[in-house]
Amino acid sequence: MKISMLEECRHAGEPEKERAARPGSVPGAPPRECWLDLGRVAGLFFIVLFHAAGNGVEFPLFFQRVPFLFMAAAYFVGRRKMFDWRHSPCRYVLFYLAWNGAAFLEAFFRHWIYSSLGHSSAWDWSILPWKLTGLGTTFPYDGPLWFLKYVMALSMLSPLLFVLGKRKLLIPATIAVLFSVVLFPELNALFSDPPRVPWADALAFFMLGFCLSSLTQGEIKLFLKKTGYISLPAWAAIAWLNHGGVISTETLHTIPCWIPGILGLGSLCVLLTEKTFFRNIARACAPLFFFIYAVHCLVLPYLMPLLSKILPEGILSALVAAVLVFAGAFFLHRRVVRHYPGWEYLIFAQRQKNPAAHGKKKEKFIAGPLRSASMNEPRL
């Protein structure tokens, strides 16, 4: 009886300890769910797979232009109930500039090598400052970090979204923006970076994620689990129609189809995280999210020619490349954390831990089991 009571107290206290140990967590908020991290990892995996296949393979449209990821980012911004740049995506600005500079150097040296070998290579020096900062272009100089650029910019609108939420105008405004994007696709032509990465639909899904921030993760998870028998067939149907060319990501009028697709992805992740294997994948890959986003377009131009000598071109070589990118990032992350912890921010967009606080947490972690073990010892 005494042991069972201790176990109950220990399990009841675990979420509080987890919230206290997590940097940037919201006081009183429930612990972060693995299904949401698994959704982000799944979306990123299919993006890497899409780029590894040379954009020649059409995947389900809710992975492209990443609406699920915009909603997830906005959800955590909205959960704070007030804008704080220290706990918003804006805190990643140095990480963005560092990897944008790396992408610029890679593109410059690739141009220099091509020119030295006598090959033609397009390089417009007149827009070099814009390419260096990532403004006005998205590829290859900041690669897929356009997503982080968009999220940082959209998060600056969060004070306005908080005001709209307090006045109960956020949901009507979100519906108005969503329908404006669907009915007037020329809006995206006015506010768009090449190649066709529009701001307008990114804003629509960011606002939609902001609306969902009033719900807890547990409530969203329960909803996705109960509606899985509807959303999963809808997700499969949309994937089939997308693969058959009936609907395309280039047609903005298909945006309403993205919402059941996102729900299907969420329901699938909720079901998968009931398995230990997928929970471990979510925990292992979630810290690598922005790093893989930053580097995979720098790695793939060199990795794919090597794989083409071993494997036939197509989906198989793209799948192997995506797995290698994730595995390489995982082992690099372990090495950096162990040997070079001061580089975690610039490489992985992770804030540095306070050594003193980290030592105290480790001391508490060691002392806790010792105390519980002594209480459970039989009396002499």
Side-chain angles (χ1 to χ4, degrees), residues 177-190:
V177 172
L178 188 61
F179 274 92
S180 298
V181 171
V182 174
L183 297 176
F184 306 104
E186 57 271 13
L187 289 174
N188 274 312
L190 296 175

Side-chain angles (χ1 to χ4, degrees), residues 71 79 113 144 161 186 197 210 239 247 258 280 289 354:
M71 291 174 63
R79 288 295 290 173
I113 292 172
L161 300 181
E186 57 271 13
V197 182
F210 220 89
I247 54 179
W258 294 26
N280 292 336
F289 182 80
N354 188 351

Side-chain angles (χ1 to χ4, degrees), residues 49 52-54 56-57 59 304 307-308 311-321:
L49 191 63
V57 180
F59 290 109
M304 296 310 297
L307 291 177
S308 64
L311 300 171
E313 294 185 2
I315 189 63
L316 179 60
S317 59
L319 184 62
V320 171

